[in-house]
């Protein structure tokens, strides 16, 4: 099959269209003919050699896909296979940048109503990540406030919408007014971190209390400031280190006196059972909102699969808002 391959870690230029063996679905898996796949920060890290796939996962890039079911592996207990020929989107364990991808059936969901492959492929990685971290890990509740760093990205635009839909109050940081306008339309209180101190603005918006939850993609440079921005019993969930992994000037006294909870998580190494539980939560709480149009993934642009290197250059520039999607030359929209 056709697939995006890399001979060695490096910059976007190492990505090229090549050939790879077509995967065979293992027990509990299905084989999907891929029509579109999402581009995500973990793909960039894997390309650089900084995020190796977990044991048993495909070495190919690509953590989310949309396409058509073409084959089943052998059945396993408590797993329902989508029908051959049905349209699914899926959180993969790798291998999405290819013509075919094998994925656990429990990590698949049907395309929302009236969706095409592009919009369906924009859902899994970000929506699974947001639900897992905001609700499973942080326990975000109706009426609570949540600060979402990087609100205009794929994770951020999904997090704002999902938090608001679940009755929380989202605040977000952005780098420019255009991205801020998008996030305001999605329902967030916007802080331009280039012109304002997000700690001061967060405390101002919350009447000095601080936010209940922070979803952070920056890491070390924001750690101390995040602690200052949290309310009593606040929860900080770190899901990426785009600004670096080392933190300085950290007050452990603040952790104790405010009873703060700090968690670092990564979704990809989680078990199939954990991801299946997230899929069922999304199907129950989020899929009706996608079907009705109350929520929708934000797609910035698409590239043909063969231009994956250009998609990675755009991702690393951080000039996009929403998702970047790779499309296959023979994909068909519904």
């Amino acid at each position: 099959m056709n697939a995006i391959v890399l001979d060695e870690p490096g910059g976007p230029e190492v990505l090229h269209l090549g050939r790879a063996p077509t995967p065979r679905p293992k027990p509990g898996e299905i084989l999907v003919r891929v029509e579109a796949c999402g581009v995500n920060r973990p793909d960039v890290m894997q390309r650089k050699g900084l995020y190796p796939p977990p044991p048993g996962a495909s070495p190919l890039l690509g953590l989310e896909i949309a396409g058509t079911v073409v084959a089943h592996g052998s059945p396993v207990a408590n797993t329902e296979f989508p029908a051959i020929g049905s349209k699914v989107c899926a959180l993969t364990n790798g291998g999405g940048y290819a013509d075919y991808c094998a994925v656990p059936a429990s990590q698949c969901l049907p395309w929302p109503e009236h969706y095409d492959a592009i919009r369906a492929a924009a859902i899994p990685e970000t929506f699974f990540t947001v639900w897992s971290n905001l609700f499973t890990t942080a326990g975000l509740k109706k009426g609570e406030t949540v600060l979402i760093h990087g609100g205009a990205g794929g994770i951020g635009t999904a997090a704002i919408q999902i938090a608001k839909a679940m009755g929380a109050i989202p605040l977000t940081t952005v780098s420019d007014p255009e991205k801020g306008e998008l996030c305001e339309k999605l329902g967030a209180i916007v802080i331009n971190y280039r012109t304002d101190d997000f700690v001061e603005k967060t405390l101002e918006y919350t009447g000095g209390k601080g936010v209940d939850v922070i979803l952070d993609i920056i890491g070390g440079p924001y750690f101390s400031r995040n602690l200052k921005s949290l309310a009593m019993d606040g929860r900080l969930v770190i899901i990426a280190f785009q600004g670096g992994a080392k933190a300085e000037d950290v007050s452990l006294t603040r952790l104790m006196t405010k009873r703060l909870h700090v968690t670092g998580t990564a979704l990809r190494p989680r078990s199939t059972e954990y991801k299946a539980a997230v899929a069922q939560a999304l199907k129950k709480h989020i899929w009706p909102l996608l079907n009705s149009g109350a929520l929708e993934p934000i797609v910035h642009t698409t590239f043909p699969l063969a231009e994956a290197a250009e998609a990675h250059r755009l991702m690393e520039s951080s000039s996009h808002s929403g998702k970047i999607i790779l499309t296959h030359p023979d994909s068909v929209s519904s």
Side-chain angles (χ1 to χ4, degrees), residues 37-55:
C37 56
V39 177
N40 295 285
R41 295 279 178 183
D43 301 337
V44 173
M45 293 175 62
Q46 183 176 338
R47 188 204 75 221
K48 292 179 176 180
L50 302 175
Y51 192 38

Side-chain angles (χ1 to χ4, degrees), residues 102-276:
V103 61
S106 59
Q107 294 172 204
C108 299
L109 289 162
W111 291 8
E113 295 174 9
H114 312 299
Y115 270 46
D116 60 12
I118 292 170
R119 288 203 294 165
I123 296 171
E125 202 273 342
T126 47
F127 278 60
F128 272 73
T129 296
V130 169
W131 189 272
S132 170
N133 287 289
L134 285 188
F135 299 96
T136 305
T137 299
L140 183 65
K141 300 177 181 65
K142 182 178 180 179
E144 289 190 320
T145 50
V146 53
L147 174 61
I148 299 156
H149 287 302
I155 293 289
T157 52
I160 290 168
Q161 293 185 78
I162 293 173
K164 189 171 180 63
M166 295 296 103
I169 303 165
L171 292 75
T172 193
T173 56
V174 298
S175 59
D176 61 60
E178 187 176 73
K179 291 182 177 180
E181 184 177 347
L182 169 63
C183 293
E184 284 181 349
K185 288 181 180 178
L186 296 177
I189 297 167
V190 172
I191 303 167
N192 186 330
Y193 67 82
R194 296 192 187 277
T195 59
D196 293 304
D197 185 297
F198 77 77
V199 178
E200 293 178 1
K201 286 296 182 180
T202 297
L203 294 175
E204 177 184 325
Y205 287 131
T206 58
K209 172 178 176 285
V211 292
D212 299 293
V213 173
I214 297 177
L215 185 66
D216 181 43
I217 60 172
I218 304 300
Y222 275 14
F223 189 77
S224 181
R225 298 165 71 192
N226 280 334
L227 299 187
K228 294 177 183 178
S229 302
L230 282 168
M232 188 71 71
D233 294 308
R235 291 91 76 194
L236 168 61
V237 183
I238 302 169
I239 62 171
F241 305 114
Q242 291 182 23
K246 293 187 177 181
E248 298 179 357
D249 188 31
V250 177
S251 171
L252 297 181
T253 301
R254 183 173 285 111
L255 276 170
M256 295 179 65
T257 57
K258 296 174 74 174
R259 300 192 299 268
L260 302 180
H261 302 257
V262 178
T263 306
T265 71
L267 182 59
R268 190 178 189 185
R270 293 275 198 174
S271 68
T272 299
E273 292 75 17
Y274 180 91
K275 295 172 186 176

